[in-house]
């Protein structure tokens, strides 16, 4: 069971222990707070008391769990977890207030193993507002292609000449009504054709705290090697809009992790992936939601 949870939440053993502890402490805290609040009323223990207790505990639970998650270092996980539950409980878009929301079609550009792409695909699988409509890849055999196929998402393999000197595959994107682009381990620079067609609609994730350790050649293990060599005590992730310069666009979100004495580029990469998986889908959702509202 623990193994399954580790895989599902993409966390290591220590984080799983901290998450379970947070659930237990948060649950106890909200039970305790619920009883204390009801004691302030003159209600006798009975059916009504019980119903009120259930309502109170349900309302207090997210708050208590978030509070406990801060000292245990699990805030990012629980914030996304609660957002997910909230989304599941909310009425589908279009029913709320009778206003039909726009369905945003995302193209995920990825060329590696695709673990971030997979998280994004899973996160939006049941979304009423966002559809992952296409995976764009420049590496035959990349893991992300299998992930797309398994999820039933169409993918295209692109080649350099047409991407940089031609139309940037804009016709394919337009044909699928793509209105937002997510880069998740895509190493080519975005050509002007796409930057012009998608202003403020292309986001990227970088495995370090920009503006440090960014720019051409700074990807994957090179980033983590540089961080460790510098002796920095912390690293993290940056989600940013994409412009014509590598890793340069406006920063949307950053979160940090510790770089321990014993960390290697590999162990640091694992920590960074945990942060990325916990944050990237929810940040994408929030950017899209804000843009659709304005
Ligand atoms: C991530 O670490 C991301 O920060 C960077 O490329 C990596 C992709 O990893 N842009 P994956 O293919 O999603 O596992």
């Amino acid at each position: 069971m623990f193994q399954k949870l580790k895989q599902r939440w993409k966390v290591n053993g220590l984080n799983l222990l901290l998450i379970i502890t947070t659930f237990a402490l948060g649950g106890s805290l909200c039970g305790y707070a619920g009883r204390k609040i009801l004691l302030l009323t003159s209600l006798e223990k009975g059916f009504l008391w019980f119903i009120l207790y259930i309502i109170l505990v349900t309302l207090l639970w997210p708050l208590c769990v978030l509070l406990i998650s801060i000292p245990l270092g699990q805030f990012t996980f629980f914030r996304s977890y609660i957002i997910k539950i909230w989304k599941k409980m909310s009425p589908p878009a279009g029913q709320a207030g009778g206003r039909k929301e726009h369905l945003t079609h995302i193209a995920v550009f990825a060329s590696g193993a695709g673990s971030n792409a997979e998280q994004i695909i899973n996160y939006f699988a049941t979304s009423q507002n966002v559809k992952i409509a296409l995976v764009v890849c420049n590496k035959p055999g990349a893991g992300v292609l299998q992930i797309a196929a398994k999820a039933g998402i169409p993918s295209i393999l692109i080649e350099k000449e047409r991407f940089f000197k031609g139309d940037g595959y804009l016709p394919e994107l337009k044909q699928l009504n793509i209105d937002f682009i997510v880069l998740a381990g895509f190493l080519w620079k975005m050509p002007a054709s796409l930057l012009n067609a998608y202003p403020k609609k292309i986001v990227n994730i970088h495995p370090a705290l920009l503006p440090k350790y960014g720019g051409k050649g700074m990807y994957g293990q090179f980033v983590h090697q540089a961080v460790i060599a510098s002796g920095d005590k912390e690293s993290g992730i940056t989600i940013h809009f994409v412009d014509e310069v590598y890793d340069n666009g406006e920063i949307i979100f950053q979160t940090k992790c510790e770089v321990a004495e014993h960390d290697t580029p590999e162990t640091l990469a694992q920590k960074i992936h945990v942060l990325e998986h916990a944050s990237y889908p929810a940040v994408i959702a929030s950017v899209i939601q804000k843009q659709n509202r304005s």
Side-chain angles (χ1 to χ4, degrees), residues 112-117 184-185 204-207 273 276:
S115 69
N116 278 284
N204 180 42
I205 189 160
H206 186 76
H273 262 113
E276 291 183 335

Side-chain angles (χ1 to χ4, degrees), residues 36-263:
K36 281 277 168 205
I37 293 172
L38 283 179
L39 271 180
L40 298 175
T41 70
S42 48
L43 270 180
E44 295 264 317
K45 262 198 182 169
F47 183 69
L48 183 62
W49 188 98
F50 185 69
I51 296 291
L52 282 176
Y53 177 71
I54 299 285
I55 294 174
L56 261 178
V57 164
T58 310
L59 294 175
L60 287 173
W61 184 84
L63 191 69
C64 294
V65 158
L66 279 178
L67 265 177
I68 300 285
S69 73
I70 297 170
L72 292 184
Q74 301 305 314
F75 182 75
T76 314
F77 173 86
F78 276 93
R79 189 185 47 195
S80 326
Y81 187 84
I82 288 168
I83 291 174
K84 260 191 211 163
I85 296 182
W86 180 255
K87 279 179 67 180
K88 277 193 185 146
M89 286 167 48
S90 307
Q95 285 178 19
R99 189 171 146 245
K100 189 144 177 37
E101 293 220 7
H102 167 70
L103 177 64
T104 300
H105 291 72
I106 293 185
V108 177
F109 283 49
S111 296
S115 69
N116 278 284
E118 188 170 29
Q119 293 293 323
I120 295 164
I121 289 169
N122 291 343
Y123 183 91
F124 290 111
T126 55
S127 171
Q128 308 281 325
N129 311 323
V130 172
K131 176 179 176 183
I132 308 299
L134 180 67
V135 167
V136 177
C137 177
N138 67 342
K139 259 202 193 144
V144 70
L145 292 170
Q146 276 179 20
I147 291 170
K150 211 173 99 198
I153 295 171
S155 57
I156 50 171
L157 251 185
I158 59 171
E159 52 85 22
K160 232 175 191 163
E161 185 74 11
R162 183 173 161 205
F163 190 62
F164 289 110
K165 298 196 178 138
D167 57 20
Y169 291 81
L170 199 53
E172 278 85 344
L173 301 184
K174 290 291 170 198
Q175 201 193 353
L176 287 170
N177 297 319
I178 299 299
D179 29 34
F180 200 89
I181 294 178
V182 169
L183 310 187
F186 187 76
L187 300 184
W188 289 354
K189 229 174 179 179
M190 282 291 108
S193 51
L194 295 189
L195 290 172
N196 294 335
Y198 292 95
K200 279 263 166 139
K201 301 272 184 191
I202 309 179
V203 294
N204 180 42
I205 189 160
H206 186 76
L209 296 169
L210 292 174
K212 285 170 117 182
Y213 311 111
K216 195 169 164 48
M218 272 298 182
Y219 60 88
Q221 296 299 89
F222 297 117
V223 176
H224 308 309
Q225 277 161 10
V227 171
I228 287 173
S230 75
D232 276 4
K233 294 285 169 254
E234 58 181 23
S235 187
I237 61 165
T238 305
I239 298 168
H240 64 95
F241 286 113
V242 173
D243 65 14
E244 60 289 347
V245 180
Y246 269 121
D247 303 322
N248 176 70
E250 183 194 333
I251 290 175
I252 304 165
F253 174 87
Q254 289 187 309
T255 186
K256 296 176 183 175
C257 64
E258 188 204 356
V259 180
E261 292 274 319
H262 57 264
D263 266 329

